[in-house]
Amino acid sequence: ESGRVHDIGKIAIPDAVLLKAGPGRLTEQEFATMQTHPQAGHDLLQRYPIMHAVLPGVLEHHEKWDGTGYPRRLKGEAISLLGRVLAVADVFDAITCARPYRTGFPLDKARSIIEEGSGTHFDPAMVKAFLSLPAAVLQQHMEQPKAPAAS
């Protein structure tokens, strides 16, 4: 379920920032605003006991294995397993989906980007697990209709 609600904190981001999101388009201040969405989602969902199990993924899906992520700059195994899984899934989804400013990457390129991030952006074990998924499964995910995304 965490995958379904991991970006719920974006409801706290002003449309002027959220709808502008794209490469090279956000100012430093706008990017700082975007970086608040994991905490905002966590704060919203923590009010509901039924959602407590998903909170680590909501809060930590932008943390990076090397400690350069956000919001808490967690590193390595200090990032929850759910956060580490969602980091890979979120990036895969983001780079394979079309955006107003670019087309989605094909599967081979997306897999390559994920692999290149092993040990820096992503937990190497999560990358290994992701790369072990059959291409047909990943391609099927890519072909599912999706709601337009802002980032």
Coordinates of all heavy atoms in Angstrom, one line a residue, residues 24-110:
G24 N 15.6 21.1 -14.8 CA 16.1 22.5 -15.0 C 15.0 23.6 -14.8 O 15.3 24.7 -15.1
R25 N 13.9 23.2 -14.4 CA 12.8 24.2 -14.3 C 12.6 24.7 -12.9 O 12.0 25.8 -12.7 CB 11.5 23.6 -14.8 CG 11.6 23.3 -16.3 CD 10.2 22.8 -16.8 NE 10.3 22.5 -18.2 CZ 9.3 22.0 -18.9 NH1 8.1 21.9 -18.3 NH2 9.5 21.7 -20.1
L26 N 12.9 24.0 -11.9 CA 12.6 24.4 -10.5 C 13.8 25.3 -10.0 O 15.0 25.0 -10.2 CB 12.5 23.2 -9.6 CG 11.3 22.3 -9.8 CD1 11.3 21.2 -8.8 CD2 10.0 23.1 -9.8
T27 N 13.4 26.4 -9.4 CA 14.4 27.2 -8.7 C 14.9 26.4 -7.4 O 14.3 25.4 -7.0 CB 13.9 28.6 -8.3 OG1 12.9 28.4 -7.3 CG2 13.3 29.3 -9.5
E28 N 15.9 26.9 -6.8 CA 16.4 26.3 -5.5 C 15.3 26.3 -4.5 O 15.1 25.3 -3.8 CB 17.6 27.1 -5.0 CG 18.3 26.4 -3.9 CD 19.6 27.1 -3.5 OE1 20.4 27.3 -4.4 OE2 19.8 27.4 -2.3
Q29 N 14.6 27.4 -4.4 CA 13.5 27.5 -3.4 C 12.3 26.5 -3.8 O 11.7 25.9 -2.9 CB 12.9 28.9 -3.3 CG 11.8 29.1 -2.3 CD 12.2 28.7 -0.9 OE1 13.2 28.9 -0.4 NE2 11.3 27.9 -0.3
E30 N 12.0 26.4 -5.1 CA 10.9 25.5 -5.5 C 11.3 24.1 -5.2 O 10.5 23.3 -4.8 CB 10.6 25.8 -7.0 CG 9.9 27.1 -7.3 CD 9.9 27.4 -8.7 OE1 10.8 26.9 -9.5 OE2 9.0 28.2 -9.1
F31 N 12.6 23.7 -5.5 CA 13.0 22.4 -5.2 C 12.9 22.1 -3.7 O 12.5 21.0 -3.3 CB 14.4 22.1 -5.7 CG 14.8 20.7 -5.6 CD1 14.2 19.7 -6.3 CD2 15.9 20.4 -4.8 CE1 14.6 18.4 -6.1 CE2 16.3 19.0 -4.6 CZ 15.6 18.0 -5.3
A32 N 13.3 23.1 -2.9 CA 13.2 22.9 -1.4 C 11.8 22.7 -1.0 O 11.5 21.9 -0.1 CB 13.8 24.1 -0.7
T33 N 10.8 23.4 -1.7 CA 9.4 23.2 -1.4 C 9.0 21.7 -1.8 O 8.3 21.1 -1.0 CB 8.6 24.2 -2.2 OG1 8.9 25.5 -1.7 CG2 7.1 24.0 -2.0
M34 N 9.4 21.3 -3.0 CA 9.1 19.9 -3.4 C 9.7 18.9 -2.4 O 9.0 17.8 -2.2 CB 9.7 19.6 -4.8 CG 8.9 20.2 -5.9 SD 7.2 19.5 -6.1 CE 7.6 17.9 -6.6
Q35 N 10.8 19.1 -1.8 CA 11.4 18.2 -0.9 C 10.6 18.1 0.4 O 10.9 17.2 1.2 CB 12.9 18.6 -0.6 CG 13.8 18.4 -1.8 CD 15.2 18.9 -1.4 OE1 15.4 19.9 -0.9 NE2 16.2 18.0 -1.7
T36 N 9.6 18.9 0.6 CA 8.8 18.8 1.8 C 7.7 17.7 1.7 O 7.1 17.4 2.7 CB 8.2 20.1 2.2 OG1 7.3 20.5 1.2 CG2 9.3 21.2 2.4
H37 N 7.5 17.2 0.5 CA 6.3 16.3 0.3 C 6.4 15.0 1.1 O 5.4 14.5 1.6 CB 6.0 16.1 -1.2 CG 6.7 15.1 -1.9 ND1 7.9 15.3 -2.5 CD2 6.5 13.7 -2.0 CE1 8.4 14.2 -3.0 NE2 7.5 13.2 -2.8
P38 N 7.6 14.4 1.3 CA 7.6 13.2 2.1 C 7.2 13.4 3.5 O 6.4 12.6 4.1 CB 9.1 12.7 2.0 CG 9.6 13.3 0.7 CD 8.9 14.6 0.6
Q39 N 7.7 14.5 4.1 CA 7.3 14.8 5.5 C 5.8 15.1 5.6 O 5.2 14.7 6.5 CB 8.2 15.9 6.1 CG 8.0 16.2 7.5 CD 8.5 15.0 8.4 OE1 9.6 14.7 8.3 NE2 7.6 14.5 9.3
A40 N 5.4 15.9 4.6 CA 3.9 16.3 4.6 C 3.0 15.1 4.5 O 2.0 15.0 5.2 CB 3.7 17.3 3.5
G41 N 3.4 14.1 3.7 CA 2.6 12.9 3.6 C 2.7 12.1 4.8 O 1.6 11.5 5.3
H42 N 3.9 12.0 5.4 CA 4.0 11.2 6.7 C 3.1 11.9 7.8 O 2.4 11.2 8.5 CB 5.5 11.3 7.1 CG 5.7 10.6 8.4 ND1 5.6 11.3 9.6 CD2 6.1 9.4 8.7 CE1 5.9 10.5 10.6 NE2 6.2 9.3 10.1
D43 N 3.2 13.2 7.9 CA 2.4 13.9 8.9 C 0.9 13.7 8.7 O 0.2 13.6 9.7 CB 2.8 15.4 8.9 CG 4.2 15.7 9.3 OD1 4.9 14.7 9.8 OD2 4.7 16.8 9.1
L44 N 0.5 13.7 7.5 CA -0.9 13.5 7.2 C -1.4 12.1 7.6 O -2.4 11.9 8.3 CB -1.2 13.7 5.7 CG -2.6 13.4 5.2 CD1 -3.6 14.3 5.8 CD2 -2.7 13.4 3.7
L45 N -0.6 11.1 7.1 CA -1.0 9.7 7.3 C -0.8 9.2 8.7 O -1.5 8.2 9.1 CB -0.3 8.8 6.3 CG -0.6 9.0 4.9 CD1 0.2 8.1 4.0 CD2 -2.1 8.8 4.6
Q46 N 0.1 9.8 9.5 CA 0.3 9.3 10.9 C -0.9 9.5 11.8 O -1.0 8.8 12.8 CB 1.5 9.9 11.5 CG 1.4 11.3 11.9 CD 2.6 11.9 12.6 OE1 3.5 11.1 13.0 NE2 2.7 13.1 12.9
R47 N -1.8 10.3 11.3 CA -3.1 10.5 12.1 C -4.0 9.2 12.1 O -4.9 9.1 12.9 CB -3.9 11.6 11.5 CG -3.2 12.9 11.5 CD -4.0 14.0 10.8 NE -3.2 15.1 10.4 CZ -3.6 16.1 9.6 NH1 -4.8 16.1 9.2 NH2 -2.8 17.0 9.3
Y48 N -3.7 8.3 11.2 CA -4.6 7.2 10.9 C -3.8 5.9 11.3 O -2.9 5.5 10.5 CB -5.1 7.2 9.5 CG -5.7 8.5 9.1 CD1 -5.0 9.4 8.4 CD2 -7.0 8.7 9.5 CE1 -5.6 10.7 8.1 CE2 -7.6 10.0 9.2 CZ -6.9 10.9 8.5 OH -7.5 12.1 8.2
P49 N -4.2 5.2 12.4 CA -3.4 4.0 12.7 C -3.4 3.0 11.6 O -2.3 2.3 11.5 CB -4.2 3.5 14.0 CG -4.8 4.7 14.6 CD -5.2 5.6 13.4
I50 N -4.4 2.9 10.8 CA -4.4 1.9 9.7 C -3.2 2.1 8.7 O -2.8 1.2 8.0 CB -5.7 1.8 9.0 CG1 -5.8 0.5 8.2 CG2 -6.0 3.0 8.2 CD1 -7.2 0.2 7.7
M51 N -2.7 3.3 8.7 CA -1.7 3.7 7.7 C -0.2 3.7 8.3 O 0.7 3.9 7.6 CB -1.9 5.1 7.2 CG -3.2 5.3 6.5 SD -3.5 4.1 5.1 CE -2.3 4.8 4.0
H52 N -0.1 3.3 9.6 CA 1.2 3.4 10.2 C 2.2 2.5 9.6 O 3.4 2.8 9.5 CB 1.1 3.1 11.7 CG 0.5 4.2 12.5 ND1 0.4 4.2 13.9 CD2 0.0 5.4 12.1 CE1 -0.1 5.4 14.3 NE2 -0.4 6.1 13.2
A53 N 1.8 1.3 9.0 CA 2.8 0.4 8.4 C 3.4 1.0 7.1 O 4.5 0.6 6.8 CB 2.1 -0.9 8.0
V54 N 2.7 2.0 6.5 CA 3.3 2.5 5.3 C 4.1 3.8 5.5 O 4.8 4.3 4.6 CB 2.2 2.9 4.2 CG1 1.3 1.7 4.0 CG2 1.3 4.1 4.7
L55 N 4.1 4.3 6.7 CA 4.8 5.6 7.0 C 6.3 5.6 6.6 O 6.8 6.5 6.0 CB 4.6 6.0 8.4 CG 3.2 6.3 8.8 CD1 3.1 6.7 10.3 CD2 2.7 7.5 8.0
P56 N 7.1 4.5 6.9 CA 8.5 4.6 6.5 C 8.7 4.8 5.0 O 9.6 5.5 4.5 CB 9.0 3.2 6.9 CG 8.1 2.8 8.0 CD 6.8 3.3 7.6
G57 N 7.9 4.1 4.2 CA 8.0 4.3 2.7 C 7.6 5.7 2.3 O 8.3 6.3 1.4
V58 N 6.6 6.2 2.9 CA 6.1 7.6 2.5 C 7.2 8.6 2.9 O 7.6 9.5 2.1 CB 4.8 7.9 3.3 CG1 4.5 9.4 3.1 CG2 3.7 7.0 2.8
L59 N 7.8 8.4 4.0 CA 8.8 9.4 4.5 C 10.2 9.2 3.8 O 10.9 10.2 3.6 CB 9.0 9.3 6.0 CG 10.0 10.3 6.7 CD1 9.5 11.7 6.5 CD2 10.1 10.0 8.2
E60 N 10.5 8.0 3.5 CA 11.9 7.7 3.1 C 12.1 7.4 1.6 O 13.2 7.0 1.2 CB 12.5 6.6 3.9 CG 12.5 6.9 5.4 CD 12.8 5.7 6.3 OE1 13.1 4.6 5.8 OE2 12.8 5.9 7.5
H61 N 11.1 7.5 0.7 CA 11.3 7.1 -0.7 C 12.2 8.0 -1.5 O 12.6 7.6 -2.6 CB 9.9 6.9 -1.4 CG 9.2 8.2 -1.6 ND1 8.4 8.8 -0.6 CD2 9.0 9.0 -2.7 CE1 7.9 9.9 -1.1 NE2 8.2 10.0 -2.4
H62 N 12.6 9.1 -0.9 CA 13.6 9.9 -1.6 C 15.0 9.9 -0.9 O 15.9 10.7 -1.3 CB 13.1 11.4 -1.8 CG 12.1 11.5 -2.9 ND1 12.5 11.4 -4.2 CD2 10.8 11.8 -2.8 CE1 11.4 11.6 -4.9 NE2 10.3 11.8 -4.1
E63 N 15.1 9.1 0.1 CA 16.4 8.9 0.7 C 17.3 8.1 -0.3 O 16.8 7.4 -1.1 CB 16.3 8.1 2.0 CG 15.5 8.9 3.1 CD 16.1 10.1 3.7 OE1 17.3 10.4 3.4 OE2 15.5 10.8 4.5
K64 N 18.6 8.3 -0.2 CA 19.6 7.7 -1.1 C 20.6 6.8 -0.3 O 21.0 7.2 0.8 CB 20.3 8.7 -2.0 CG 19.4 9.4 -2.9 CD 20.2 10.3 -3.8 CE 19.3 11.1 -4.8 NZ 20.0 12.0 -5.7
W65 N 21.0 5.7 -0.8 CA 21.8 4.8 -0.2 C 23.1 5.5 0.3 O 23.6 5.2 1.4 CB 22.2 3.7 -1.2 CG 23.0 2.6 -0.6 CD1 24.3 2.2 -0.9 CD2 22.5 1.6 0.3 NE1 24.7 1.1 -0.2 CE2 23.6 0.7 0.5 CE3 21.3 1.3 0.9 CZ2 23.5 -0.4 1.4 CZ3 21.2 0.2 1.8 CH2 22.3 -0.6 2.0
D66 N 23.6 6.5 -0.4 CA 24.9 7.2 0.0 C 24.6 8.3 0.9 O 25.6 9.0 1.3 CB 25.6 7.7 -1.3 CG 24.9 8.7 -2.1 OD1 23.8 9.2 -1.6 OD2 25.4 9.1 -3.1
G67 N 23.4 8.6 1.4 CA 23.1 9.6 2.4 C 22.8 11.0 1.8 O 22.7 11.9 2.6
T68 N 22.7 11.1 0.5 CA 22.5 12.4 -0.1 C 21.0 12.7 -0.4 O 20.7 13.7 -1.0 CB 23.3 12.6 -1.4 OG1 22.9 11.6 -2.4 CG2 24.8 12.4 -1.2
G69 N 20.1 11.8 0.0 CA 18.7 12.0 -0.3 C 18.0 13.0 0.7 O 18.7 13.7 1.5
Y70 N 16.7 12.9 0.7 CA 15.9 13.8 1.6 C 14.7 13.0 2.1 O 14.3 12.0 1.4 CB 15.6 15.1 1.0 CG 14.7 15.0 -0.3 CD1 13.3 15.0 -0.2 CD2 15.3 14.9 -1.5 CE1 12.5 15.0 -1.3 CE2 14.5 14.8 -2.7 CZ 13.1 14.9 -2.5 OH 12.3 14.8 -3.6
P71 N 14.1 13.4 3.2 CA 14.2 14.6 4.0 C 15.3 14.5 5.1 O 15.7 15.6 5.6 CB 12.8 14.8 4.5 CG 12.3 13.5 4.7 CD 12.9 12.7 3.6
R72 N 15.7 13.3 5.5 CA 16.6 13.2 6.7 C 18.0 12.8 6.4 O 18.8 12.6 7.3 CB 16.0 12.2 7.6 CG 14.6 12.7 8.1 CD 14.0 11.8 9.2 NE 13.7 10.4 8.6 CZ 13.5 9.4 9.4 NH1 13.5 9.4 10.7 NH2 13.2 8.2 8.8
R73 N 18.4 12.7 5.1 CA 19.7 12.3 4.7 C 20.2 11.0 5.3 O 21.3 10.9 5.7 CB 20.7 13.5 4.9 CG 20.3 14.7 4.1 CD 21.3 15.9 4.3 NE 22.6 15.6 3.7 CZ 22.9 15.8 2.4 NH1 22.0 16.2 1.6 NH2 24.1 15.5 2.0
L74 N 19.2 10.1 5.4 CA 19.6 8.8 5.9 C 20.5 8.1 4.9 O 20.5 8.3 3.7 CB 18.3 7.9 6.1 CG 17.3 8.5 7.1 CD1 16.1 7.6 7.1 CD2 17.9 8.6 8.5
K75 N 21.3 7.1 5.5 CA 22.3 6.4 4.6 C 22.2 4.9 4.9 O 22.0 4.5 6.0 CB 23.7 6.9 5.0 CG 24.8 6.3 4.2 CD 26.1 6.9 4.6 CE 27.2 6.4 3.7 NZ 28.5 7.0 4.0
G76 N 22.4 4.2 3.8 CA 22.4 2.7 3.9 C 21.2 2.1 4.6 O 20.1 2.5 4.3
E77 N 21.5 1.2 5.5 CA 20.5 0.4 6.1 C 19.7 1.2 7.2 O 18.8 0.7 7.8 CB 21.0 -0.9 6.7 CG 21.4 -1.8 5.6 CD 21.9 -3.2 6.1 OE1 21.9 -3.4 7.3 OE2 22.2 -4.0 5.2
A78 N 20.1 2.5 7.4 CA 19.3 3.4 8.2 C 18.0 3.7 7.5 O 17.0 4.1 8.2 CB 20.1 4.7 8.6
I79 N 18.0 3.5 6.2 CA 16.7 3.7 5.4 C 15.9 2.4 5.6 O 16.5 1.3 5.5 CB 17.1 4.0 4.0 CG1 18.0 5.2 3.8 CG2 15.8 4.2 3.2 CD1 18.6 5.2 2.4
S80 N 14.7 2.5 5.9 CA 13.9 1.3 6.0 C 13.9 0.5 4.7 O 14.1 1.0 3.7 CB 12.4 1.7 6.4 OG 11.8 2.4 5.3
L81 N 13.6 -0.8 4.9 CA 13.5 -1.7 3.7 C 12.4 -1.1 2.8 O 12.6 -1.1 1.6 CB 13.2 -3.1 4.2 CG 13.0 -4.1 3.1 CD1 14.3 -4.2 2.3 CD2 12.7 -5.5 3.7
L82 N 11.3 -0.7 3.3 CA 10.2 -0.2 2.5 C 10.7 1.1 1.7 O 10.4 1.2 0.5 CB 9.0 0.2 3.3 CG 7.7 0.5 2.6 CD1 7.3 -0.6 1.6 CD2 6.6 0.6 3.7
G83 N 11.4 2.0 2.4 CA 12.0 3.1 1.7 C 12.9 2.8 0.6 O 12.9 3.4 -0.5
R84 N 13.8 1.8 0.8 CA 14.7 1.3 -0.2 C 14.0 0.7 -1.4 O 14.5 0.9 -2.5 CB 15.7 0.4 0.4 CG 16.7 1.1 1.4 CD 17.7 0.2 2.0 NE 17.2 -0.4 3.2 CZ 17.5 -1.6 3.7 NH1 18.4 -2.4 3.0 NH2 17.0 -2.1 4.8
V85 N 13.0 -0.1 -1.1 CA 12.2 -0.7 -2.2 C 11.5 0.4 -3.0 O 11.6 0.4 -4.3 CB 11.2 -1.7 -1.7 CG1 10.2 -2.1 -2.8 CG2 11.9 -2.9 -1.1
L86 N 10.9 1.3 -2.3 CA 10.1 2.4 -3.0 C 11.0 3.3 -3.8 O 10.6 3.9 -4.8 CB 9.3 3.1 -2.1 CG 7.9 2.5 -1.7 CD1 7.2 3.3 -0.7 CD2 7.1 2.3 -2.9
A87 N 12.3 3.5 -3.3 CA 13.2 4.4 -4.0 C 13.4 3.9 -5.5 O 13.4 4.6 -6.4 CB 14.5 4.5 -3.3
V88 N 13.6 2.6 -5.6 CA 13.8 2.0 -6.9 C 12.5 2.0 -7.7 O 12.5 2.5 -8.9 CB 14.3 0.5 -6.8 CG1 14.4 -0.1 -8.2 CG2 15.7 0.5 -6.1
A89 N 11.4 1.6 -7.1 CA 10.2 1.6 -7.9 C 9.7 3.0 -8.3 O 9.3 3.2 -9.4 CB 9.1 1.0 -7.0
D90 N 9.9 4.0 -7.4 CA 9.5 5.4 -7.8 C 10.4 5.9 -8.9 O 9.8 6.5 -9.8 CB 9.7 6.2 -6.5 CG 9.1 7.6 -6.7 OD1 8.0 7.7 -7.2 OD2 9.7 8.6 -6.3
V91 N 11.7 5.7 -8.9 CA 12.5 6.2 -10.0 C 12.2 5.4 -11.3 O 12.0 6.1 -12.3 CB 14.0 6.1 -9.6 CG1 14.9 6.3 -10.9 CG2 14.4 7.1 -8.5
F92 N 12.0 4.1 -11.2 CA 11.6 3.4 -12.4 C 10.3 4.0 -13.0 O 10.2 4.2 -14.2 CB 11.4 1.9 -12.1 CG 11.0 1.1 -13.3 CD1 11.8 0.8 -14.3 CD2 9.6 0.7 -13.4 CE1 11.4 0.1 -15.5 CE2 9.2 0.0 -14.5 CZ 10.1 -0.3 -15.5
D93 N 9.3 4.2 -12.2 CA 8.0 4.7 -12.7 C 8.2 6.1 -13.2 O 7.7 6.4 -14.3 CB 7.0 4.7 -11.5 CG 5.7 5.1 -12.0 OD1 5.1 4.4 -12.9 OD2 5.2 6.2 -11.5
A94 N 9.0 6.9 -12.6 CA 9.2 8.3 -13.0 C 9.9 8.4 -14.4 O 9.6 9.2 -15.2 CB 10.0 9.1 -12.0
I95 N 10.9 7.5 -14.6 CA 11.7 7.6 -15.8 C 11.0 6.9 -17.0 O 11.4 7.2 -18.1 CB 13.1 7.2 -15.6 CG1 13.2 5.7 -15.2 CG2 13.9 8.1 -14.7 CD1 14.7 5.2 -15.0
T96 N 10.1 6.0 -16.7 CA 9.4 5.3 -17.8 C 8.1 6.0 -18.2 O 7.6 5.7 -19.3 CB 9.2 3.8 -17.5 OG1 8.4 3.7 -16.3 CG2 10.5 3.1 -17.4
C97 N 7.6 6.9 -17.4 CA 6.3 7.5 -17.7 C 6.6 8.8 -18.5 O 7.6 9.5 -18.2 CB 5.6 7.9 -16.4 SG 4.9 6.5 -15.6
A98 N 5.8 9.1 -19.4 CA 5.9 10.4 -20.2 C 5.6 11.5 -19.3 O 4.7 11.5 -18.4 CB 5.0 10.4 -21.4
R99 N 6.3 12.6 -19.5 CA 6.1 13.9 -18.8 C 5.8 14.9 -19.8 O 6.1 14.8 -21.0 CB 7.3 14.3 -18.0 CG 7.7 13.3 -16.9 CD 6.7 13.3 -15.8 NE 7.2 12.6 -14.6 CZ 6.6 11.5 -14.1 NH1 5.6 10.9 -14.7 NH2 7.1 10.9 -13.0
P100 N 5.2 16.1 -19.4 CA 5.0 17.1 -20.4 C 6.2 17.6 -21.1 O 6.2 18.0 -22.3 CB 4.4 18.2 -19.6 CG 3.8 17.6 -18.4 CD 4.7 16.4 -18.1
Y101 N 7.4 17.4 -20.5 CA 8.7 17.9 -21.0 C 9.5 16.9 -21.6 O 10.6 17.2 -22.1 CB 9.4 18.7 -19.9 CG 9.6 17.9 -18.6 CD1 10.6 17.0 -18.4 CD2 8.6 18.1 -17.6 CE1 10.7 16.3 -17.3 CE2 8.7 17.3 -16.4 CZ 9.8 16.5 -16.2 OH 9.9 15.7 -15.1
R102 N 9.1 15.6 -21.6 CA 9.9 14.5 -22.2 C 9.1 13.2 -22.3 O 8.1 13.1 -21.6 CB 11.2 14.2 -21.4 CG 10.9 13.7 -20.1 CD 12.0 12.8 -19.6 NE 11.8 12.4 -18.2 CZ 11.0 11.4 -17.8 NH1 10.3 10.7 -18.7 NH2 10.8 11.1 -16.5
T103 N 9.5 12.4 -23.2 CA 8.9 11.1 -23.3 C 9.5 10.1 -22.3 O 10.6 10.4 -21.8 CB 9.1 10.4 -24.7 OG1 10.5 10.3 -25.0 CG2 8.4 11.3 -25.8
G104 N 8.8 9.1 -22.0 CA 9.4 8.1 -21.0 C 10.5 7.3 -21.7 O 10.5 7.1 -22.9
F105 N 11.4 6.9 -20.9 CA 12.6 6.1 -21.4 C 12.1 4.7 -21.6 O 11.2 4.1 -21.0 CB 13.7 6.0 -20.3 CG 14.4 7.3 -20.2 CD1 14.3 8.1 -19.0 CD2 15.3 7.8 -21.2 CE1 15.0 9.2 -18.9 CE2 16.0 9.0 -21.0 CZ 15.8 9.7 -19.9
P106 N 12.7 4.0 -22.6 CA 12.4 2.6 -22.9 C 12.9 1.7 -21.8 O 13.8 2.1 -21.0 CB 13.1 2.3 -24.2 CG 14.1 3.3 -24.4 CD 13.7 4.5 -23.6
L107 N 12.5 0.5 -21.7 CA 12.8 -0.4 -20.6 C 14.3 -0.6 -20.5 O 14.9 -0.5 -19.4 CB 12.1 -1.8 -20.8 CG 12.4 -2.8 -19.8 CD1 12.1 -2.4 -18.4 CD2 11.7 -4.1 -20.1
D108 N 15.0 -0.8 -21.6 CA 16.5 -1.1 -21.5 C 17.2 0.1 -20.9 O 18.1 -0.1 -20.0 CB 17.1 -1.4 -22.9 CG 16.7 -2.8 -23.4 OD1 16.2 -3.6 -22.5 OD2 16.9 -3.0 -24.6
K109 N 16.8 1.3 -21.3 CA 17.5 2.5 -20.7 C 17.1 2.7 -19.2 O 18.0 3.0 -18.4 CB 17.0 3.8 -21.5 CG 17.6 5.1 -21.0 CD 19.1 5.2 -21.1 CE 19.6 6.5 -20.7 NZ 21.0 6.6 -20.6
A110 N 15.9 2.4 -18.9 CA 15.4 2.5 -17.5 C 16.2 1.6 -16.6 O 16.7 1.9 -15.5 CB 13.9 2.3 -17.4

